[in-house]
Amino acid sequence: MTNRIMPWDQIQLPEAEYNVRLIATDSSIPLYWGKDTAGHCLFIIELQGDHTEQFRKGRASVHGISLDLRGFDVNARQGLVLKLEKHIDKDLFLSLCETLVTSLQPLTDSSTALAVTLTYIQRWKMFMSGRKSRILSAEEVRGLFAELQFLRFLYQGRLSEKAAVDAWVGPEGSHQDFIFGNTAVEIKSVSGKERSTVRISSEDQLETLCDNLFLMIFRLNAIPESDQAASLNALVRLVEQELNDAVAVEELLRRLAAYGYVDIAEYDTPRFVVASRDAYFVEKDFPRLVRSRIPDGIVRTTYEIELEKIAAFKCDITSVVES
């Protein structure tokens, strides 16, 4: 839990129904923070007209968040109410609501606003069913950014979109991040400050049953002023736009959720530039610790490899897929 100021802290507990406070935006769709008699945090979207049928068809249940469509008054207004249950972290709920505020701000039509909201709810449902329903660490953000860059490399003329997404097995719990054909690839990211070593987080990452194993290292520099820089959110949207296969997009969203990603404002920064991407062929003499050679009694290892010492194993990135 962080020390962020919560908008619900400024709202008094109501004696009946709920109290609300209008969110100051340029949006044509009125948005409110709210609190009910039990002290639950609410996010309310005011809709013009009757959207009962659209809500019924697109509604999704999300663990920790209840969703309800209520009539406001005789002027044909309805309110879509998101209520935070006790199981969800309040910080995370605030981030999700802030993302909705940003997404709804340019809209003018209530039906479109409801459709956009229900789409986000579907993504949150996948996210909450994943293993990491929390905000990613800075290291995890860099790691996911690097993995998505390699995913783009695969589907841009090398594998089909569906095959490329299916090859991304890291979010599914595999020891390597990508496996396709008889090739496994472990992806690592290093920041501009980390110039000499790469961290290997387990004895299983550089050992595989595949005939070919590669280590891909992406060096990421945080350069927000660069035109070439992109945030994690921007990169995810780019990948979604580039994929034309609807099945591949759906599978991408599921794996992003399994990784622990959902589109929230926290991932609008930092903005990265890929300074370099280097491929290494992990063969017999490659310096590594592997489970098959570790003495009994040692159950977990983490170590760092000097990049200077593995220069001889560097190969062209195209050999990763041509193998």
Side-chain angles (χ1 to χ4, degrees):
M1 181 72 69
T2 68
N3 294 321
R4 300 176 67 187
I5 298 176
M6 297 291 165
W8 302 285
D9 296 340
Q10 312 301 319
I11 301 176
Q12 292 185 348
L13 199 68
E15 295 181 359
E17 292 292 330
Y18 43 76
N19 286 338
V20 300
R21 180 165 64 86
L22 181 67
I23 301 174
T25 70
D26 296 330
S27 174
S28 300
I29 309 295
L31 307 172
Y32 303 88
W33 303 117
K35 183 182 289 185
D36 65 11
T37 55
H40 291 114
C41 301
L42 310 176
F43 178 73
I44 303 172
I45 303 169
E46 183 179 316
L47 306 171
Q48 297 291 333
D50 186 353
H51 302 274
T52 305
E53 185 65 17
Q54 181 185 1
F55 174 74
R56 185 187 65 79
K57 290 181 178 179
R59 181 178 184 177
S61 60
V62 184
H63 179 68
I65 301 174
S66 68
L67 200 63
D68 191 20
L69 186 67
R70 305 180 186 179
F72 267 8
D73 55 26
V74 294
N75 295 323
R77 293 188 305 164
Q78 292 180 319
L80 181 66
V81 182
L82 281 68
K83 181 172 72 173
L84 173 68
E85 306 289 357
K86 62 182 181 180
H87 305 96
I88 308 296
D89 188 286
K90 187 185 290 187
D91 283 1
L92 183 57
F93 183 63
L94 176 60
S95 295
L96 299 178
C97 294
E98 289 174 337
T99 300
L100 267 179
V101 171
T102 301
S103 300
L104 296 175
Q105 186 166 338
L107 304 183
T108 58
D109 177 68
S110 292
S111 180
T112 303
L114 178 58
V116 168
T117 302
L118 293 176
T119 297
Y120 270 98
I121 292 296
Q122 289 284 356
R123 296 191 180 190
W124 296 346
K125 178 179 181 179
M126 288 190 289
F127 166 67
M128 295 310 302
S129 65
R131 299 190 303 272
K132 304 175 182 176
S133 53
R134 57 173 176 78
I135 295 176
L136 298 174
S137 68
E139 182 179 357
E140 289 170 326
V141 168
R142 291 198 308 270
L144 178 54
F145 191 96
E147 289 177 33
L148 290 174
Q149 290 288 358
F150 185 74
L151 176 63
R152 295 182 69 216
F153 169 76
L154 286 183
Y155 65 68
Q156 289 176 341
R158 294 165 178 85
L159 296 179
S160 71
E161 293 178 355
K162 181 63 165 58
V165 175
D166 286 345
W168 186 26
V169 293
E172 306 286 275
S174 175
H175 295 313
Q176 285 80 46
D177 296 308
F178 289 85
I179 296 178
F180 49 93
N182 205 17
T183 296
V185 184
E186 176 63 23
I187 307 296
K188 292 296 179 182
S189 67
V190 295
S191 71
K193 299 177 182 179
E194 299 166 328
R195 300 187 180 277
S196 60
T197 64
V198 63
R199 182 173 177 269
I200 308 299
S201 57
S202 81
E203 66 277 12
D204 296 311
Q205 286 193 326
L206 296 185
E207 185 174 39
T208 180
L209 296 177
C210 296
D211 287 345
N212 305 297
L213 173 61
F214 294 88
L215 173 64
M216 281 286 306
I217 300 177
F218 287 79
R219 188 174 298 280
L220 307 179
N221 291 339
I223 311 178
E225 65 275 9
S226 171
D227 293 337
Q228 303 300 317
S231 67
L232 177 58
N233 280 339
L235 180 57
V236 170
R237 293 169 194 146
L238 176 62
V239 173
E240 289 184 44
Q241 292 168 5
E242 291 179 338
L243 293 176
N244 297 307
D245 186 329
V247 176
V249 173
E250 184 66 23
E251 187 60 29
L252 170 73
L253 296 178
R254 191 183 68 80
R255 297 189 188 218
L256 284 169
Y259 191 100
Y261 170 84
V262 67
D263 186 343
I264 56 177
E266 275 77 0
Y267 307 141
D268 285 333
T269 56
R271 299 176 68 237
F272 298 112
V273 170
V274 179
S276 65
R277 57 180 190 180
D278 296 311
Y280 299 84
F281 184 43
V282 182
E283 53 182 319
K284 181 177 61 174
D285 297 328
F286 192 94
R288 54 181 168 155
L289 298 177
V290 296
R291 183 178 296 276
S292 58
R293 303 179 199 165
I294 291 180
D296 289 342
I298 298 178
V299 295
R300 184 75 175 174
T301 62
T302 300
Y303 60 101
E304 294 187 0
I305 297 176
E306 280 190 78
L307 298 182
E308 180 182 350
K309 300 297 185 182
I310 59 173
F313 301 92
K314 187 178 290 189
C315 59
D316 190 274
I317 188 173
T318 57
S319 63
V320 176
V321 289
E322 291 172 354
S323 63

